[in-house]
Amino acid sequence: MITRSPDLLQRHDEARPLAPPPAWQAQLAGAIRDPAELCRRLGLNEAWRPGAEAGHALFEVRVPEAFLSRMRPNDPADPLLRQVLPLGEEALPTPGYVNDPLEEAAHTPARGLIHKYAGRVLLITSPACAVNCRYCFRRHFPYGDNSPSRAQWEATLDHLRSDPTIVEAILSGGDPLAASDRQLAWLVERLGAIPHLKRLRIHTRLPVVIPDRVDDALLEWLGATRLQTVVVLHINHANEIDDAVADACERLKAAGVTLLNQSVLLRGVNDRVDALAALSERLFEAGVLPYYLHVLDPVAGAAHFDVPDEEARGLVAGLRDMLPGFLVPKLVREIPGGASKTPL
C-alpha cells in the first residue's frame, strides 16, 4: 500500500515543547482512512465495499471530515465522493497507463526538486496530502526519496541559487500546505533571500478540503515574503466551494495573494458543460480565476476517469458559448519532455 503520512513531516521540525496542534492539523490527523468507514458514513450499499477495499490496498483512502460534509449521502455518483472513493477498477491494467506518466524521475537534479520548464522549478515540499484523489498523477511517486531534511534542503536550494534564469519557485507535493507553518516559513524565507527569484507559487488543495488551514500562522509567513505570491487551488466541481472555502479564499486575497484554479476533467465528476460552467461561476464568486482544465494524466489506476480529447474540446467549446472568455479555463495536456503545457 502506498501511504503518505503527515508523520513524515515531523522530522523537518526541531524539538520543541508539546502544544495543542492547530485546528487544521487535528482535522488532518482525523481524516477517514478506512474504506469501510467511508462507505458506512455515506450510506453506501455493501456492494461498494469490496471494490473500495481493493482500491485502498493500492492507494490508501484519506478524506477529511470537512470535505466529507459536502457529499450527498446514499449517492455513489456524488461528484465529490467519486474523486476519493476507491474502486476495484483501479487494479485493472490499462495500456498506456503507467506509474510515472509525466516522467518526472528524469527531471530531479536534487532531492525534492523537479526542474522541467525554463525559468521555474518545483519543490516537493511535503509528501502528505489532506485528501487522496484517485486520479492523482503522483499516486505512485517515490516520496520517500524526495522528502529532504533541512540540511538536504540547503543543498537543493543551492541549485536555485546557482541558476539566475530561475525566477519562480513552485511549492508542490503531496500538498505543500500539509507541512507545518514553521517549516514553510523557514523555506520561504530562504527562497526570498535568492535575489533572482521573483515569484512564489503554491499548488494546494488544503484550503479546499480543510478551509481552517488558512489561519493566522499561514497568513503571517505569506505576508512576510517579498516574493509575488500566487496560490493555485485544485477544485473540480462547484459543490467543493462552500461558505468556509469562500471565506478562506477571501483571507488569502486580503493578504495580497493572487488566486487561480486548475481542474482535471474527470468522467462522472465534471464532464458536462453545465457542471464546468457552474464551477467557473462559483470560482469567480469566491475571487478565484479559472486557469487550466487538464485532461487526465494517464496514471496507472485512473483510466476510468478518462474523457477523450475530442469530447473535451467539445465541452470547452460549449463553455465559450456560455461564459465570458476570462471564465473559460485553458484546456491543456502535460506531455513529458514538452517545454510547457500543451493546449488542446
Side-chain angles (χ1 to χ4, degrees):
M1 180 190 297
I2 297 174
T3 302
R4 292 189 284 190
S5 171
D7 297 339
L8 294 174
L9 304 175
Q10 297 304 316
R11 71 183 191 177
H12 292 309
D13 288 332
E14 299 170 0
R16 59 186 186 274
L18 293 176
W24 70 269
Q25 284 189 338
Q27 292 177 56
L28 185 60
I32 293 173
R33 299 176 66 176
D34 178 357
E37 181 183 0
L38 179 62
C39 292
R40 179 184 62 78
R41 291 284 303 278
L42 288 168
L44 298 187
N45 187 288
E46 251 323 282
W48 289 92
R49 181 169 172 172
E53 291 180 340
H56 171 76
L58 298 170
F59 183 46
E60 72 167 14
V61 165
R62 189 188 303 276
V63 184
E65 293 283 347
F67 196 62
L68 182 82
S69 69
R70 291 166 239 164
M71 298 177 190
R72 295 189 297 260
N74 308 308
D75 184 3
D78 176 82
L80 277 60
L81 174 61
R82 184 162 170 78
Q83 296 178 54
V84 299
L85 178 67
L87 299 175
E89 297 167 75
E90 296 178 27
L92 299 176
T94 304
Y97 283 75
V98 297
N99 285 358
D100 184 12
L102 305 185
E103 299 179 5
E104 291 184 322
H107 300 279
T108 53
R111 193 177 181 95
L113 175 70
I114 298 175
H115 193 174
K116 294 190 294 185
Y117 299 142
R120 52 209 186 273
V121 295
L122 188 148
L123 304 176
I124 300 295
T125 315
S126 164
C129 276
V131 63
N132 281 354
C133 303
R134 309 313 300 176
Y135 52 87
C136 178
F137 70 90
R138 290 200 184 115
R139 58 183 283 170
H140 307 285
F141 189 80
Y143 286 99
D145 298 331
N146 287 280
S147 298
S149 65
R150 281 201 175 182
Q152 291 166 331
W153 266 122
E154 289 293 356
T156 298
L157 290 168
D158 282 341
H159 179 86
L160 279 71
R161 297 182 183 112
S162 66
D163 187 347
T165 69
I166 298 172
V167 297
E168 183 174 33
I170 304 169
L171 306 189
S172 186
D175 193 309
L177 294 189
S180 70
D181 288 304
R182 180 188 178 99
Q183 171 65 12
L184 290 167
W186 175 88
L187 179 59
V188 170
E189 180 182 12
R190 277 152 182 77
L191 290 171
I194 299 174
H196 51 266
L197 281 184
K198 297 179 180 179
R199 289 184 299 277
L200 173 70
R201 196 190 328 169
I202 302 171
H203 283 233
T204 180
R205 196 139 158 75
L206 247 158
V208 181
V209 297
I210 303 180
D212 284 345
R213 180 63 185 96
V214 184
D215 58 12
D216 291 345
L218 181 147
L219 295 171
E220 182 178 355
W221 60 260
L222 269 180
T225 182
R226 67 165 183 85
L227 301 170
Q228 287 186 301
T229 304
V230 179
V231 170
V232 182
L233 299 172
H234 176 182
I235 304 172
N236 297 314
H237 195 277
N239 291 0
E240 296 178 44
I241 308 174
D242 62 3
D243 289 345
V245 173
D247 288 345
C249 292
E250 181 58 36
R251 297 194 79 194
L252 288 167
K253 283 178 64 68
V257 173
T258 298
L259 291 178
L260 305 175
N261 182 67
Q262 59 180 1
S263 306
V264 179
L265 185 58
L266 301 166
R267 178 69 71 199
V269 174
N270 56 11
D271 55 333
R272 302 188 325 272
V273 173
D274 62 336
L276 292 169
L279 172 59
S280 284
E281 293 282 10
R282 186 69 180 108
L283 285 167
F284 197 65
E285 289 171 3
V288 184
L289 195 65
Y291 171 40
Y292 277 148
L293 176 62
H294 288 263
V295 295
L296 183 72
D297 293 314
V299 62
H304 55 289
F305 286 113
D306 184 54
V307 176
D309 288 1
E310 195 57 36
E311 183 178 347
R313 293 187 188 98
L315 290 169
V316 173
L319 276 185
R320 292 194 192 99
D321 291 340
M322 295 179 64
L323 298 174
F326 61 86
L327 291 185
V328 180
K330 297 176 184 177
L331 180 67
V332 297
R333 178 189 302 282
E334 186 159 0
I335 298 176
S340 65
K341 303 289 193 299
T342 301
L344 291 182

